[in-house]
Amino acid sequence: EGVCDDLSFCDLDLGFIPIENDVLSMESPEAFRMTKLIGDKTHLFDLAKTLMQLQVVTGIIGEVKGKGSDAKMVAEMMIKLRAELGMQDEERHCEHVIGTLILIDRESDMVTPMLTQLTYGGLIDDTWGIKDGVSSIPGHIVPGRHQHTGERDMMIKVPLNASDPLFSVIRDLPVKGCEAVIKEKQLNTTDVGESVYGEESFSFNGYGNASIAPSPQPGDIQRFNLHSALCSYLLALTRNSTFIRQVQVEHALLQGAISYEDAMEFIDEMMYRRQPFGRVLRLLSLVSTLCGGIRKFTDYKRELIQVYGFEFMFALQNLEKGGLLKANKSSKVTSFVGAVASVSGMNATKATNAQWDRVKQALNIVPYFTDDKKFDPNFIDAGLSELFGGIVPVTIRLVQKALFPPKEGWLSLESELKDVPGPLFEAYQPTGREDDNKAVKNIFVLFVGGITWAEISGLRFLAAHYNKTRRTSSAELRMVIGTSRIAGGDTLINDLADVPKNMIKSFKLNPGK
């Protein structure tokens, strides 16, 4: 009693939260929803303010560039805040000075989140979700004593972050690469006291080249058994006929190798087989974006509601309002560019197939290479194409071009990237430093609106590949990844649709059948 007057309440501004050793996230769950449905840009100011706090520790970031309207707004607000506040407390001689800030707007590429992630960490996120470094896995998959108790049918929380050395190695690998690594360690494991990791590091097309401490770690065997079980389950999932056909349809849509009717026929099959509602919506959103809308959209919405229930009526309405689903009132199916432009409020009526061909050619979204190049460690596209099974995300290509711009500069790519939604921008801030560290080049890549686990893997691969192939006279590239939140297609659709989780996850694929 009598303590009410002694209590005070205030907001705790955490800013960036370290999710991994190289990943910082604002973990703003409402950012995407507020932007798409309400037009509230408050989270952009929060990002700019957090970048100001970061510069107090690391020093002023001299070069700022990026792509997208929201990304440009964050950069302008950050520069304006520094001009207004003065910021006399920045660290000018920090060992870890950030030389370049690259901002990428999620709305510049709304296709990638809707694709199926094929990396180990990405597929776990697509299947069960990863939040704050923890995933809830069904008890019958996780090995342990609970297999013989009532907890077998419960969801068990499993830490999947840098505290698990084995996960740190295989998280960026394709699932098929994880199986090879785990099997090799299984053969090398002789007794409980021996580390399951050993002294060597592993690589698959350039992935997973982190050094592993040779000393035994507590819980090595348990971690090995866990990831062996998860990998086996995910491999069975990837061999499921519906899963395989879904990935094939996604790739065919991006390549322009499938008709609208054939794509919708597959979606109808998924719907009538009562596949997960979120998975159906992801593919439907992809068709809507790539083909300029859904024909007879009103009838199709009615069919979805009849199959899944009236509760999803509000989800469809929000997705339509957010631009992920829209009606195609004309008989002609437009291209990817027009549909993506419509999401960002641009004029879609002028889009043609020729425009998408220019985007595909300029960014090499669907790289082609021969078998001898597939396992060439010096060929970067061989590794990047493993992220989504043959597709390189638009966002990864944008970062790649920002890291290694032409001699004419970043802004010289304006005409080449004009078909990707959002403006190209670049700015410079006076740092007050005479000379930065020439031996190390620190880059901060910030995704405004969200990033997928597979895209994080792709950015790690970009940095690792550069450091492997760079000249001895070139600076080492160190990349830190920032984001509004880590969010795949299911997460973005759930946020936008506001559908109860028990409804959106009510149907599951049965792997192996």
Side-chain angles (χ1 to χ4, degrees), residues 65-86:
K65 55 185 174 181
K67 176 73 170 175
S69 55
D70 285 354
K72 183 178 181 180
M73 193 177 299
V74 171
E76 291 174 346
M77 284 191 290
M78 180 191 70
I79 295 173
K80 186 176 181 180
L81 279 173
R82 181 170 184 259
E84 292 177 350
L85 299 178

Side-chain angles (χ1 to χ4, degrees), residues 4 107 111 126 137 139 211 219 241 253 266 339 402 462 493 503 510:
C4 182
E107 290 199 29
V111 170
D126 273 353
I137 311 293
S211 299
S241 59
L253 281 168
F266 175 70
L462 275 179
I493 285 181
M503 303 280 310
N510 190 2

Side-chain angles (χ1 to χ4, degrees), residues 38-169:
I38 305 177
D40 187 348
K41 304 285 187 178
T42 303
H43 74 283
L44 300 182
F45 176 77
D46 295 335
L47 271 175
K49 186 172 62 174
T50 303
L51 287 172
M52 291 290 292
Q53 296 171 353
L54 182 66
Q55 291 180 96
V56 171
V57 178
T58 64
I60 293 299
I61 302 174
E63 184 182 22
V64 181
K65 55 185 174 181
K67 176 73 170 175
S69 55
D70 285 354
K72 183 178 181 180
M73 193 177 299
V74 171
E76 291 174 346
M77 284 191 290
M78 180 191 70
I79 295 173
K80 186 176 181 180
L81 279 173
R82 181 170 184 259
E84 292 177 350
L85 299 178
M87 294 297 293
Q88 302 298 322
D89 298 328
E90 307 101 334
E91 181 64 55
R92 297 183 182 273
H93 304 287
C94 176
E95 181 182 356
H96 305 291
V97 168
I98 298 175
T100 304
L101 170 64
I102 301 174
L103 297 108
I104 303 295
D105 194 341
R106 177 75 278 169
E107 290 199 29
S108 293
D109 178 19
M110 285 302 299
V111 170
T112 298
M114 303 306 159
L115 299 175
T116 302
Q117 305 178 74
L118 296 180
T119 60
Y120 183 69
L123 194 52
I124 289 178
D125 182 52
D126 273 353
T127 307
W128 301 295
I130 302 177
K131 184 177 181 180
D132 302 329
V134 177
S135 181
S136 296
I137 311 293
H140 67 89
I141 299 176
V142 180
R145 296 179 180 177
H146 62 274
Q147 291 280 4
H148 308 287
T149 65
E151 295 182 357
R152 174 180 171 83
D153 299 326
M154 298 176 59
M155 303 296 288
I156 296 179
K157 291 187 176 181
V158 176
L160 296 175
N161 48 51
S163 65
D164 184 342
L166 181 56
F167 178 72
S168 296
V169 173

